[in-house]
Amino acid sequence: SAVISQKPSRDICQRGTSLTIQCQVDSQVTMMFWYRQQPGQSLTLIATANQGSEATYESGFVIDKFPISRPNLTFSTLTVSNMSPEDSSIYLCSGSGGEKTQYFGPGTRLLVL
Amino acid sequence: GENVEQHPSTLSVQEGDSAVIKCTYSDSASNYFPWYKQELGKGPQLIIDIRSNVGEKKDQRIAVTLNKTAKHFSLHITETQPEDSAVYFCAASPVNYQLIWGAGTKLIIKP
């Protein structure tokens, strides 16, 4: 299994600002994913972070709003840009070693005022 | 595309009793079915998974069954304990690496 850490664990931000969330995996993983989870709801995939190339975004999510980097096989960042209160959510990072099993980080709880 | 339905949305059981959560999927190409437990304030934790070449898998008090013909899979928790209280999610994975998620089941263990 993989152990995944995220920073920050929570933040309160002003509208119009941006926040970058970091995701670190303790071993090399093939795939990394970013999800959003509204309180009391299921997980929604934002994008697949591809190592060395542009991320693959799901319908409804765009690169200008959620730029993602993945410089190597153990690290990725998600930026939430030009934030509005609607961006308040839990952001989760996951990693998969190639057998489809995904391991999750603890999440980043974001509140936008 | 794949669609996963999960029932019930809330399940309340007496401590010591069994709990069963059911999921159905639509894409017959799906071949991987994990179950996650999410406690308040934490990320989802993988508790058990099953692949399409297996009909049942057990790990201590937790078991998962898969019926490929009917396209449904279930999580069974026996001898429930207070620490089993959480939200449980099922998921299905079609041919790529993505997971399609159920809506979640809030499991409440009554003392």
Side-chain angles (χ1 to χ4, degrees):
Chain A
S1 65
V3 177
I4 298 180
S5 59
Q6 285 183 237
K7 286 195 291 189
S9 58
R10 61 178 65 244
D11 208 341
I12 301 173
C13 301
Q14 296 298 319
R15 69 174 66 204
T17 63
S18 297
L19 176 72
T20 295
I21 303 168
Q22 298 180 5
C23 177
Q24 180 74 53
V25 190
D26 70 339
S27 58
Q28 292 187 352
V29 290
T30 306
M31 312 289 287
M32 292 183 75
F33 302 92
W34 286 98
Y35 290 84
R36 185 169 70 183
Q37 185 180 30
Q38 305 285 14
Q41 297 191 19
S42 188
L43 285 72
T44 300
L45 182 64
I46 297 172
T48 302
N50 301 308
Q51 193 260 329
S53 66
E54 193 171 286
T56 305
Y57 290 84
E58 296 302 303
S59 176
F61 298 96
V62 295
I63 188 172
D64 290 346
K65 176 67 176 178
F66 297 101
I68 288 170
S69 78
R70 190 181 172 192
N72 56 52
L73 292 175
T74 63
F75 185 79
S76 179
T77 67
L78 167 76
T79 298
V80 186
S81 303
N82 188 25
M83 289 184 285
S84 67
E86 292 71 36
D87 294 318
S88 298
S89 191
I90 302 167
Y91 291 86
L92 293 158
C93 166
S94 74
S96 176
E99 294 293 327
K100 293 196 172 186
T101 304
Q102 288 188 28
Y103 297 97
F104 282 82
T108 295
R109 282 142 189 84
L110 172 62
L111 177 63
V112 183
L113 302 177
Chain B
E2 175 65 285
N3 181 54
V4 176
E5 294 190 359
Q6 182 172 346
H7 299 282
S9 57
T10 303
L11 178 61
S12 183
V13 301
Q14 205 70 38
E15 182 180 349
D17 289 349
S18 296
V20 181
I21 303 171
K22 299 181 179 180
C23 289
T24 60
Y25 62 99
S26 60
D27 189 344
S28 57
S30 288
N31 59 7
Y32 175 65
F33 308 90
W35 285 90
Y36 288 85
K37 174 184 181 182
Q38 188 173 29
E39 296 174 292
L40 198 61
K42 297 184 178 180
Q45 175 194 4
L46 178 70
I47 54 172
I48 197 167
D49 57 9
I50 192 167
R51 300 184 188 270
S52 59
N53 58 348
V54 176
E56 183 173 359
K57 184 176 179 181
K58 191 173 181 180
D59 182 5
Q60 300 183 344
R61 297 186 297 110
I62 295 174
V64 56
T65 58
L66 171 65
N67 183 326
K68 287 190 294 183
T69 304
K71 296 203 200 76
H72 67 71
F73 56 112
S74 300
L75 176 70
H76 304 254
I77 305 174
T78 59
E79 300 173 12
T80 52
Q81 301 169 4
E83 53 265 35
D84 294 328
S85 294
V87 178
Y88 291 81
F89 291 98
C90 65
S93 180
V95 295
N96 59 23
Y97 284 88
Q98 292 184 5
L99 294 178
I100 310 301
W101 295 81
T105 296
K106 183 177 183 180
L107 177 61
I108 301 167
I109 308 299
K110 297 179 291 185

